Amino acid sequence: PDQNRLTRSISLENKHPPTIKIQPAAQRNETFILCSDGFWANTTQQELIQMSQIEPIDNELMHQVSIAMERAKGDSDNITVQWFRVERIN
């Protein structure tokens, strides 16, 4: 129910303190899937796990986006996904 609720904003007049969370350092071969709610709401947990275990090429990501768009049936304003894996750590 709160999917479209705005919880933070950027304003010159009102200064909102940032929320800072320190996460563990990324590990080699760790995969990140950054996506909008329009993507994850229309993608199963198993599909996300599969995406994290392979090296998708653009066609595979586009295919998964197409599936999410079909499942959304026009009810999503934004379906965005970015996949990356940590190859090395300096």
Side-chain angles (χ1 to χ4, degrees), residues 22-65:
I22 299 174
Q23 302 293 326
Q27 301 296 311
R28 187 169 189 266
N29 293 323
E30 190 169 11
T31 302
F32 293 85
I33 300 171
L34 307 175
C35 60
S36 64
D37 58 351
F39 183 79
W40 65 257
N42 295 293
T43 303
T44 67
Q45 183 176 3
Q46 184 61 33
E47 289 166 335
L48 289 169
I49 291 169
Q50 287 173 340
M51 288 177 64
S52 72
Q53 295 173 347
I54 62 170
E55 272 196 56
I57 57 174
D58 289 343
N59 291 342
E60 291 170 343
L61 285 177
M62 287 302 299
H63 177 69
Q64 195 62 47
V65 167

